[in-house]
Structure formats: structure tokens, C-alpha cells
Amino acid sequence: MSYDNRGYRSHHEGGGNRYKGNGGGPSRYRDNRRSNYNNNYHRRPYDRPPPPSRENKDDELEDIEIRLKGLIIKIGDKITPDLKVNLTKMKNILDNDYSKYPSTVQDTLIACITELPSKALVYGTLLGLLNVSSHDIVAKLMAELNKALEEAISGSNWFKVKQFLRFYGELVNSSVILPVMYCGLLNDLLTVLDQPNQPRRRLDCIVYIILSTLPWCGKEISQRSLSELDQILKKIEVYMQRRGQIPALNILKQYNGTKFDANQEDFLLHIWTLIQELKEKSWNLPLLPTPYRWFDKEFTSALQHDLPRFIVPTHTDSTVYLTPVLPMKLLVDEEGKTLPNVPDHNSIEYFIMQDIIFDILHLYEVNRKDCARYLLAISTSFDSQFFKLSTPPPPSSEIKAESMDVDNEPGKWNLSNIIVEAIFSHLLSLPKSPVRQVFYSCVFIELCRAEIATFPRALGSGVKTLFSRLDSMDVECVTRLWGWFSHHLSNFGFQWDWKAWDEVLSLDPNHPQVCFIRETLEKEIRLSYYDRIKSVIPDEFHTFVSPYAPAPNFAYKDENDPLHAQAKVIIESLRTKKTVEEVQTLLEKYKNEMKSNGLDEQQQNQSVRQIFVQCLLLVGSKSFSHILNVVERYLDILRMLNSTPESRLHTIQIVASFWKNNTQFLGILLDKLLNYRVIDPTSVITWIFEEDQLQFAGRSFLWEILKNTLSKVNSRVVQVKAKLENFQTLHNANKLKRAESENKELAEAEEQQELDSLRIVENSLSTVTREQKEVFMTVCQKFAHVLQNLIESTPEVESNWTYKWIIGWFKEILRVNFKECGGFMATLETLVFTPDLDQRINGVFNEIKTLKQEYDALV
């Protein structure tokens, strides 16, 4: 069944709230002064209750603190008229309890401000109320907040800075700080715009943070400090003109030049345009509630607090800068226009919603349950008139497919649809998603379980929309989708309305929709087992599943095979854990027998390698631990048999033949053999681009192996660089100590030893860097060669799916490794991407060059 005609049973699981506390606690000893006390009755010492212990007192205090935290966290979960009363009550509680639990209040408020992005307006109003009645308390809180903000800025934690700026904007609305002070804070950040030769991504990050903050407080600032606000906007305008429009790169588009592409190709410029439009509307934004307006009369008498000056740290190569995620147009019609149940994709409301969702996804990567809960609560933090009400699902017997599309509240937004589009935008973001891809899958699962009324239906609709557009989607996006979809279905009994996609049965085997279904089912088999998956799909879809179960393919299982007897002996030797020397003697004996049968040296080596590797794989085929044990035991033999490039390639071919029905084991085993240096990256790349592998261009396992191989090469470089930096830091520290040492001879000996160690690591870095360059040169040469041959030999190659898959993976490999390739772009251009290559191949390389240039651009 599809999402459109089935619901989900909610799984009631514990946890999910990092701040959760149950209240209560141990009973207190109270002196109730019973009536018999008044009758001159005196308890004997052994009748009296024991005095409260220190432990019980601590428990009581802890219990009160937990409840205080809970109150602060839960305040304003929903923006309703009751919030006005609740804010006043919360203010009174803080008035009374702050002096008793100052650290608890401070820490909880800072956590809420930085981890509950949609509730900034609630906490801003709360501090405004508290400031009216207890200016001193807010002064202490502001000192801690300013300290936390300063730490975030000095540590270049730009995400946390963004949360603080949004909250400080609400403090302006609540008259806790003056607009001129807030503008001074923004100007402190914008001083980087005046510094020459700054990385553009650094300046873009700060401008983006400020622009994303202004909708929350722009109206109040424009009414009270218009000149200061205009000065900030003018600074940004000058920068945007100096920066110019960033060229749109096809290599970063999720769709291949279709009407579904996002219009805002330079997203920062798009945000700047939205802010200018909002300014023209006098900063009126009905989407954002204004709880501070309830207390305008009280706030007029409040005293404001000063802000310190903040210094932006200098740029370092390790600094991570914040960038907005370009939205993916999912909820649009065939003309590319936004559907009526979501905000217009080019509106400020859509940007604000997506920005809050981005913050929540970023914050709760470590907690999928909290993430789902806060995502579903987003609509309660905005004006409710914009959103459709979530209604309970009807009983399953009353569900009718045709009634699902009835819009009971036309013109209002469906929160589930907005969330689905936002998460897919993140999941399919190029060149890589902001967080781990499995996280998005976990969040989708939790959302389906938590909001069974609307979310499964919205997600099912989104999947069907994406499926219909697969033929115009980037290869990497298609791959991420089938990886997510298989994992998602595995959590819901592998149920799906496969027959709705039966038109795929007649398509080309390499068509993206065919590949999507085939790869989804293969990954489902990995997550379950072969017979189970075959049993839950229609019979006509069995053609997408391998006719063979994922078992070993042993070359010598036939008793009539000439080498069957020898293989049997080798297997027994490996199982009985014969020594390396004994097994080598046995292999040498077989090699001599082959020589006597007229085989030449090369044939002898190939036969011995074939039979030994096949037998070793069979003995280790029970599990990963079995294969690792047997490989480690006979590692010397493996290395001896794989001493040349030809032999290493042959070993990969043997492994691929043995595990041809289980591509998961194939990928894992090649990964382990790379770790043990039995094979090398170049041999893996050579095997991937063999002509026989072209038939697998639409399969994921081949390209997963390639990406994993390149990742290992890059990791080695990173590890050696880190080791060299650590050695250099240690050497510099020791050098200062030795300068004060009186034992010069010992100091000189230690320094020489450290210099020798540094030279060894430097040589190692040189080696792995050279290997990295050679590997990427090989990959580019192989891609260019295969693509050029396809273009020359295939008429109308643009409609050939094999070509589309290979050039798509060519884009992905260069795109995800553009930083690593940046050091030898000139060499690649000279030796690989020469003018005689087809312009489509060189065009991809030129876009990668532009991508690297834009990443390194200075302003």
C-alpha cells in the first residue's frame, strides 16, 4: 500500500526531551503541629521522625531546579492568548527564584535561546517583562548572554551567533536594549566588509546571518533608529554591488536544466532582494507574532542595557562558515508555479519558514525524536491563521483515496508539505548534504509516527513527485533518494504501492526510474533478506530482483572441475589453520604441477592466485569477522601473490566474480583489502573502468566502491597532515623549553631527534600527496576515455542512459572532490582535458574549475 491509503501506528517510545523532568521528588518532613501536641503530649525521642538528611535536601533542591527548567523551556510552546498570562506568571517565578538558582536560570535561558530558534520572540518578551520589574536580574542575565555571544563570535561559531542575533533583535522589540545598541552590534560584525582580500564565503556568511535576523526586528528598529538601520543596509548594499552576482553552475543543480530548477541561483542575492521588498512594505510581516505588543505600556518605563563591543576573529582555513540551503522546488505545478498549500517559493515567508527548519535540523542532528517534535510544533510559533489545522485521521475503514485530495481550508499552508520539501532540499543538497544522510531518514520515520494524520500522505505525495522527475534529476540525487527510500520502507514493513509504477516495466534497463526501483529493492534485501523482499513485491516486479540469492559464487564447486581436488585440499588447510609456510609449500607444489602440464609462468601465477583467493573467500564467507580473521592469518601469502599491478587487478576480478551476487560483501571486502594494502587504489579504479563494467553504469555498488576508494586516499593525506601539524606544534613548544635548559648537549640531541621525526612525516606527506594526485589523474583519464568512446560510437548519445549515468558520476566525483583536485588543476588541464576532447567532457571540468575559483574567491 502507498502512503495515500494507509496510516501509521504510533510507536510510544520513551525519551525524546533532553530537558524532561517529572517533578515530584521525595516527601518533605513537615511539622504539622497535630492537635495532640496542643494537649501537652510529647513524643519520646525514639518516636520522633529523623531530621531531614543532607541527601534529601539536595534531592529537593534538584527537583525544584528541574521543574524550574521545565517551566522555562515549555513557556510559549504555543502562541495563544493564554501566553500573555503565562508570561506574567513566569516573570513572577523568575523574580522570586533567580536569587536561589541563578546558574540554573542563566544556563537554561542560554540553552533555550540557542536551541529553540522559533521561540526567540517568547524569550525576548519574557526578559522584557522581567526587565521592568527586576532590572538588576536582567543586568546579570545580560552579562552572561553577552559573554556567551562573545565566546560564539571569537570561536567562529556562526550558527550560534545567528541564534543570538535573532534573540537580541527580540530584546530590541521588548525594550531591553536600545535599537542603536543592536545596530552597533551588527556594525561590529560588518566591519569585516571593510577589510581587504577577505574570502567571499566569510563575508557572505556574516551578511546572511544579519539579513536572516532583520525580519524579526526590522519594524521596531526602523521606527526608533531609522538612520542606523539605513546605514547597515547601505553597507550591505555596497558589498552586494562589489560582490556581484555569482554565476549559476549547472554542476550544483539538482535538476538538469528544467523548469523545476530554483530561480534564486544566487541565493544570498535573493535574500537581499526579499529584505529590500520587506523594507518597502514598512517591515510589515503578519507571519511573525508580536507578543511584546501586549506589554507596550509596561515596556515604555523600562531601563535599557548596554552592549559591549565585539571583535570578529580573523579567517582561518579551519573555520566553517554558515551558508543557506538552496530550496528544492518540489511543491510546484507543471508550469513551475508554487502550489497553493505552501508559501510562494519567492516570498519572505517561505524563506523564514525554511530558515527555522534549517536551524532545527542542524540543532537536533543528535536527537531525531526532539527534531521531529520541534518541526511539527513550528506552526504554533507563527500566526496560526496561515496554517491548516491538523485533524485526526479517520478510521481506516472510512479512508477513501479520492477524499484525500479535498482541501478543507483552501489558501492555508500545510505544514507537513512544507517540512517534506525542506527535508528533501537538505537531503538532496549539492555538493553534499549539511548533515549525515541517515539522519534525514530517521527524522522522516519519526515524523510519520508522530503526525499520522497528514505527514505520511505528504511524504508519499513527495516521493511520487520526485519519482516522476527522476529522468531530469542529477545522478547523485537519484542515488541518495533510493538509499533513503529503502531505509524508510524497512521501518514500515517494506510496504509500498509498487503497482502504481508498473509503467516502468517497459522502460530501458538503465532508465533512472528502473534503476531507482532495482537499487531500492537491492538495498532492502541488505536490510532484510532475499525471500522476504520477493514476497512483498508484485510478481511482475521480480524482474528487478536478481534471480540468485546473495550467496558466494565459488568457481570450483563442480566436482568435474580439473582443480576441484586441489581446491578442496586448500580449503581444508585454511580451515584447520595450517601455517603460512605449510600453505605456501602446498601452493608451490600445485604451481609445479601446472608447470609440468605446460603452463607458462604467467598462467601458473594466475591459476595459483585464482584458486587460493577463491578458497580463502569461501572459508571466510560466513561473516565479516571470518573473512577478516582468515585474511589476517594469511596476509603474507596475499601480499606475495599481489606484488604487481596486474596481479592486484586480477585479485579484484576474482573477488568480484566470487561475490557477484552480493555487491555489499564485494564493496566491504575490497575496502578491507585496501586497508591491508593487498590491493591499491589504482587497481580498483582500473577494474571499475573495464569495458565489462559498463553494463553496471546504472548500479550504485560500482560508484560506491569508487567513492570509497577516493575517500581513503584523501583520508590518508588528511591524517598525515594532522600528524605533521602535531609534530610541528610539539617541536615548537619543546624548542622554547630547550632555550631555557642548561644541558645544551641533551637539548641538541632531543632537537635532532625531533627534526628527524619531522623529516620522516614530511616525506610521508609527500608520498601520500603524490599518490593522491596520481589516483585522481587516473580517475579523470579513465572517465575522459570512456566518455569520449561513448560519444564517438553512439548516435544521439545525449539520449543514451549509459552515457548519462557515466557523465553524471563524472560530475559527482569531481564535484565532491573539487578541493582535493584544486592543487593540480593545471596538470589535469594540460594532460587530461585537452582541446581534442569533446566539449561536453571539458565543460564539466571547466565548471569544476569555476567552482574551486568561486570557493577561493576574495572580495
Side-chain angles (χ1 to χ4, degrees), residues 318 713-732 757-758 760-762 764-766 768-769:
S318 61
V713 173
N714 294 335
S715 295
R716 287 175 187 167
V717 175
V718 171
Q719 289 168 3
V720 177
K721 280 183 177 179
K723 187 176 180 180
L724 181 60
E725 288 175 4
N726 290 336
F727 272 42
Q728 190 67 55
T729 302
L730 181 63
H731 174 66
N732 293 337
S757 298
L758 277 171
I760 292 172
V761 180
E762 287 171 350
S764 178
L765 179 60
S766 177
V768 295
T769 304

Side-chain angles (χ1 to χ4, degrees), residues 560-598:
N560 297 321
D561 190 285
L563 295 176
H564 176 77
Q566 290 91 327
K568 192 173 181 180
V569 174
I570 294 174
I571 291 170
E572 184 62 25
S573 299
L574 299 180
R575 282 178 175 164
T576 56
K577 301 180 181 178
K578 293 289 181 66
T579 65
V580 170
E581 291 76 15
E582 289 173 320
V583 175
Q584 282 179 329
T585 302
L586 186 61
L587 294 177
E588 194 64 32
K589 174 187 172 184
Y590 292 153
K591 186 175 179 180
N592 291 333
E593 291 177 1
M594 295 171 191
K595 183 177 181 180
S596 63
N597 290 334

Side-chain angles (χ1 to χ4, degrees), residues 76-79 116-119 121 216 287-289 343 349-350 352-361 364 370-384 386-387 413-416 418-420 422-423 447:
D77 276 350
K78 293 184 178 180
I79 306 294
L116 299 176
S118 61
K119 291 172 64 174
L121 46 85
W216 300 78
L287 175 66
L288 299 181
E349 290 82 3
Y350 184 83
I352 290 173
M353 292 291 297
Q354 295 293 310
D355 202 43
I356 291 292
I357 292 173
F358 167 80
D359 289 353
I360 292 174
L361 289 172
Y364 295 97
D370 274 1
C371 185
R373 183 161 60 88
Y374 286 121
L375 285 173
L376 292 172
I378 283 177
S379 60
T380 62
S381 296
F382 295 103
D383 196 317
S384 59
F386 288 90
F387 297 90
W413 303 337
N414 186 315
L415 179 63
S416 292
I418 295 172
I419 295 173
V420 166
I423 296 179
L447 287 166

